[in-house]
Amino acid sequence: MADPVHAEGKTPCPSPTLLRMALGVTYFYFGFLKFFPDLSVAEVLAGHVLTSLSSHSMDARSLLLALAVLECAIGLGFLFNVCLPIVTVLFFLHLCGTFLPLFLLPELTFKFLPFAPTLDGQYIMKNVVFAAAGWTVLSPELRRRYTSE
Amino acid sequence: MSPRIEKLLAAAVVLVIAIGVGSTYERYRGSALSRVPEAYSPSVARAAVGANAAESSEVDAPADAVPPTRRESVAPASGDALAGNAQELLIYPTLAVGMRTPFDLWRYYGRGVTSFGSPAMPMRFEQWMDFHAKQKPALMADVREYMDGRFDFTGEAIPGAHMSGGKPIMKGPISRLPAGVDSFEELAALSPSEIRERDLFPFKPLAHPLQTTAHMLFPEAWVEAHPEHARIDVDMDIPQAYLPEFPPPMFLTTHKELGDVTGGREVTLDNFFEIFDGLLSPEQMEGLKELLRPSPTTWFNHTDHRVTAEPSRGVACFDCHVNGHTNGAIELGPDSRPNLARLRVDTPTMRGNYNLMQLSSKRSIRSMDHFSEVEEYFDGDPGMQQAIGPRAVKREVTNRMGDMNSILDFPPAPKLDPLMRLIPERATPAELRGEALFHGKAKCSVCHSGPAFVDDYLHDLRVERFYVGRPEGPIKTFPLRGIKDSPPYLHDGRLPTLHDSVEFFNLVLGLQLSPDEKNDLVDYLLCL
């Protein structure tokens, strides 16, 4: 199968760069919203999941602030193409977290189990695209770094 | 794309997003759909907690510089530093109905998205059941841990002290002192602002354990007798030993000679005729029947908008005010929005209501007829009636409920004379010393006076001087006549015993009572 991204000898296609920037914008933008109480529509799901994970030992706002910092950091990493090994770890950890509401809060992510998600459910499921995009962007970068040494 | 252009582009994107979101937020705050009041600023909110920030007193402007119309809103005023200022509070978390709320909800503030309730649920009923089946066990474990952290429920009773029907009266104080403070006297020696800054106040408000849904929560003994009122989502958080007796005796102003007219039974729709026929007037009988007749209410009705596993016939007045007294069920005061801002209120007794000019903690309702009209849709939200079943009680009927209410008497107080003073031959020296304190050094009679030991005013005790929290504002004085029968105390039941109540007022009123004086005062309160 022809691989437009890693084709030997050709100028690499610009899509990984655009993909990387697009991931960065999405992460930074939606993360930045979470710094402001009541601005991000993800507050209900994220707040519920995070407080559940902390066994309700921390307040939702502090946890959302931590999430905002995490998402902005990932976003900046992608945007400026820096610290990619760390970004990789954070990115995949974060992605796993985004799928949690499907399991922890099926009442709000599914209209009807198991195959009829709500809009929130769809919003989460489409993160498989993020995972693939992240892999597309990160794997050649990492390979380049670790094979050149 | 060259790396330089790429970096420039990235920087531009970051800048646009940061400035864009920031300025959007400025315009969003205080707008119609925002839960964040205009004055809120995310950066100062946390920084100010605990800080003894001085009030920014601006220099008076010359009179001719004052604009003809007011443009600035008035900042909340408070005597001690910034007591109760919104700057120190957190914005309410964003939650869907049914989701857990912080137990320290008094630290939060903010607007609701709307004042109006909706019968629409965010999920189907089976999902609602599943959601709570998962959430309830962990929630109740945390509720118990929280309550045990605040109170030491020893179960120890005051020797020889009983409620009117014989239930032992619990000994206190059981509110736990903060670490590093060894006695209530040591605490009372500190100033309110010191207690506040060091977060030492042991009498902070109690929230409803599940305040997104909230509404009526019945005690264990009641639910045992009335399993139809068991909730799928949450149980009562106060142990039965610290609640009123069940079923309580019922005394009538019209039949003092009979004592407890119920013969130890719970008055129900099934037995009221047998008990009261020939004792009550026809109007009172009809009123009593209405007080016993369940009708649908928020979360207890035949629709999916409910917290009972099976559809519910609803709730009757006497389901909380059992036998015209109280079983200690809790509710939220209907007088504020958002729901998260509503104060927890425990059911007051109906005994002696004939002598009260102020009914309900904050609504200043002036007649029992009026109360019977408004109460039942406890949410102050008539818009829900169509959806969950209208009650539609006509005025003649609520008047008759009022007629019945007004013959519910206080329990006997054999040690008091007609002027509500202790009869010296019947009282112990400690009780007499307590009475002297009540009318003297302890200042209780300033607000608790007359035949029901109440002044029929609302008072703002400004308890927020002692902790960082949203001010609760004026609350009606509750009568102290018969007070031994209706623990826990204060509108939200945060004071489980009379000893806790005396410690509370000692601190809040700055009385500096000695341990002996406090015990004398409790001995006296038990006589009322």
Side-chain angles (χ1 to χ4, degrees):
Chain A
M1 202 168 50
D3 180 347
V5 176
H6 304 117
E8 292 285 331
K10 292 195 196 142
T11 341
C13 152
S15 59
T17 306
L18 285 182
L19 205 52
R20 177 169 56 70
M21 302 283 277
L23 277 171
V25 170
T26 318
Y27 263 84
F28 183 75
Y29 187 4
F30 296 174
F32 199 72
L33 285 170
K34 296 190 177 74
F35 282 113
F36 302 84
D38 192 38
L39 202 57
S40 164
V41 290
E43 267 188 16
V44 177
L45 287 187
H48 181 86
V49 167
L50 290 172
T51 45
S52 305
L53 286 181
S54 83
S55 306
H56 294 267
S57 59
M58 290 179 73
D59 68 284
R61 186 92 286 270
S62 311
L63 292 164
L64 284 168
L65 283 179
L67 183 64
V69 170
L70 174 67
E71 290 180 0
C72 285
I74 297 173
L76 291 173
F78 276 130
L79 276 171
F80 290 98
N81 206 8
V82 291
C83 308
L84 287 191
I86 301 172
V87 169
T88 310
V89 175
L90 296 181
F91 171 73
F92 282 105
L93 274 180
H94 176 270
L95 262 188
C96 294
T98 62
F99 287 102
L100 283 178
L102 297 179
F103 304 99
L104 295 183
L105 202 52
E107 295 82 8
L108 290 188
T109 48
F110 287 93
K111 239 164 91 108
F112 213 101
L113 280 170
F115 278 105
T118 58
L119 190 61
D120 287 338
Q122 294 189 16
Y123 171 79
I124 291 168
M125 287 174 192
K126 66 97 191 59
N127 282 358
V128 292
V129 180
F130 273 41
W135 188 242
T136 308
V137 168
L138 293 168
S139 64
E141 284 292 339
L142 295 179
R143 202 175 306 147
R144 194 170 314 139
R145 258 167 222 241
Y146 290 110
T147 49
S148 60
E149 277 156 24
Chain B
M1 223 183 322
S2 87
R4 268 194 62 165
I5 295 182
E6 229 181 273
K7 294 258 143 85
L8 271 175
L9 194 66
V13 162
V14 167
L15 213 65
V16 167
I17 290 176
I19 294 173
V21 172
S23 61
T24 303
Y25 195 64
E26 285 305 303
R27 292 169 56 185
Y28 173 69
R29 284 193 288 125
S31 71
L33 270 182
S34 163
R35 298 185 302 106
V36 181
E38 203 168 358
Y40 176 81
S41 153
S43 51
V44 289
R46 263 170 185 278
V49 175
N52 191 13
E55 196 84 55
S56 66
S57 57
E58 309 228 315
V59 186
D60 283 348
D64 55 359
V66 177
T69 51
R70 191 163 58 83
R71 289 204 217 107
E72 300 291 317
S73 66
V74 180
S78 206
D80 301 75
L82 282 174
N85 193 314
Q87 297 281 294
E88 295 174 280
L89 306 175
L90 305 171
I91 293 287
Y92 289 120
T94 313
L95 297 163
V97 69
M99 282 182 177
R100 285 180 58 164
T101 37
F103 297 137
D104 55 353
L105 260 180
W106 31 268
R107 282 178 60 219
Y108 294 77
Y109 85 121
R111 292 165 45 135
V113 171
T114 169
S115 286
F116 300 89
S118 159
M121 294 288 288
M123 54 186 87
R124 288 175 301 110
F125 191 72
E126 306 89 271
Q127 294 177 308
W128 180 241
M129 292 283 286
D130 287 349
F131 177 84
H132 288 301
K134 272 186 296 178
Q135 180 173 267
K136 187 177 176 181
L139 168 64
M140 289 321 298
D142 289 350
V143 166
R144 274 185 289 273
E145 193 187 320
Y146 173 72
M147 293 301 276
D148 284 342
R150 283 193 59 164
F151 307 106
D152 184 10
F153 292 112
T154 56
E156 191 188 339
I158 305 175
H162 299 282
M163 296 182 195
S164 304
K167 182 176 180 177
I169 297 174
M170 293 293 119
K171 191 173 173 337
I174 62 164
S175 303
R176 289 189 196 272
L177 282 164
V181 177
D182 295 327
S183 69
F184 281 98
E185 288 72 34
E186 192 184 322
L187 187 66
L190 304 175
S191 72
S193 41
E194 193 170 357
I195 293 177
R196 188 167 194 271
E197 271 154 42
R198 292 170 53 194
D199 192 19
L200 299 178
F201 192 56
F203 307 118
K204 290 168 186 155
L206 269 186
H208 192 294
L210 186 60
Q211 194 145 340
T212 46
T213 319
H215 219 62
M216 297 174 190
L217 192 48
F218 296 91
E220 206 183 311
W222 178 265
V223 173
E224 224 166 84
H226 299 273
E228 72 274 17
H229 287 150
R231 291 180 61 149
I232 58 171
D233 53 348
V234 61
D235 294 325
M236 187 67 178
D237 51 2
I238 299 179
Q240 192 63 42
Y242 291 83
L243 294 175
E245 55 199 341
F246 173 75
M250 180 170 176
F251 306 96
L252 299 181
T253 59
T254 48
H255 286 288
K256 278 197 73 158
E257 74 286 359
L258 296 180
D260 172 15
V261 285
T262 68
R265 283 173 288 179
E266 180 199 336
V267 178
T268 66
L269 215 42
D270 295 325
N271 67 17
F272 85 97
F273 187 80
E274 169 199 334
I275 299 175
F276 292 95
D277 188 31
L279 290 175
L280 299 184
S281 75
E283 283 176 330
Q284 293 160 350
M285 277 295 251
E286 186 186 348
L288 178 58
K289 186 197 74 203
E290 283 302 314
L291 291 165
L292 290 165
R293 188 173 62 81
S295 53
T297 179
T298 320
W299 300 120
F300 290 87
N301 57 66
H302 53 282
T303 74
D304 282 355
H305 193 275
R306 66 171 197 261
V307 290
T308 53
E310 301 298 325
S312 166
R313 271 189 283 174
V315 172
C317 305
F318 271 27
D319 287 352
C320 299
H321 298 281
V322 55
N323 287 3
H325 184 49
T326 162
N327 57 16
I330 65 160
E331 194 17 316
L332 293 184
D335 39 49
S336 182
R337 288 298 182 276
N339 277 329
L340 298 185
R342 290 164 61 180
L343 303 184
R344 169 176 174 158
V345 279
D346 60 13
T347 310
T349 182
M350 280 182 169
R351 293 173 181 171
N353 270 356
Y354 57 81
N355 247 348
L356 306 188
M357 310 299 147
Q358 289 279 4
L359 299 170
S360 90
S361 51
K362 267 181 161 326
R363 284 170 288 165
S364 188
I365 293 173
R366 302 297 169 88
S367 88
M368 285 181 282
D369 302 3
H370 181 187
F371 209 103
S372 306
E373 277 170 44
V374 297
E375 204 69 347
E376 197 69 358
Y377 278 97
F378 300 79
D379 287 322
D381 188 350
M384 288 288 285
Q385 294 195 18
Q386 195 66 52
I388 60 177
R391 180 163 163 259
V393 177
K394 289 209 189 113
R395 177 151 296 184
E396 300 93 273
V397 177
T398 54
N399 283 348
R400 288 180 191 144
M401 294 162 82
D403 290 341
M404 181 64 211
N405 260 345
S406 52
I407 58 165
L408 296 169
D409 205 359
F410 287 118
K415 292 186 179 178
L416 294 180
D417 72 11
L419 294 173
M420 308 317 272
R421 287 292 185 149
L422 286 175
I423 302 168
E425 303 80 63
R426 294 202 182 162
T428 66
E431 290 163 356
L432 288 165
R433 288 194 301 271
E435 180 179 52
L437 286 163
F438 189 90
H439 292 278
K441 181 179 174 188
K443 300 188 189 137
C444 314
S445 64
V446 172
C447 304
H448 297 280
S449 58
F453 294 89
V454 70
D455 61 356
D456 282 310
Y457 285 115
L458 276 73
H459 292 274
D460 190 348
L461 297 173
R462 296 204 294 118
V463 184
E464 72 278 3
R465 287 172 295 152
F466 294 86
Y467 64 96
V468 176
R470 185 164 31 86
E472 298 195 299
I475 308 268
K476 86 161 200 172
T477 311
F478 281 89
L480 298 185
R481 180 73 171 81
I483 192 67
K484 66 178 184 308
D485 283 1
S486 45
Y489 302 105
L490 234 65
H491 60 275
D492 54 6
R494 75 181 76 161
L495 308 172
T497 69
L498 287 171
H499 295 91
D500 291 275
S501 309
V502 168
E503 293 294 356
F504 172 87
F505 281 98
N506 182 48
L507 201 57
V508 169
L509 303 176
L511 302 173
Q512 304 293 347
L513 298 176
S514 72
D516 285 343
E517 288 173 326
K518 291 175 196 167
N519 285 330
D520 292 346
L521 208 44
V522 171
D523 281 358
Y524 171 67
L525 292 173
L526 290 170
C527 304
L528 301 183

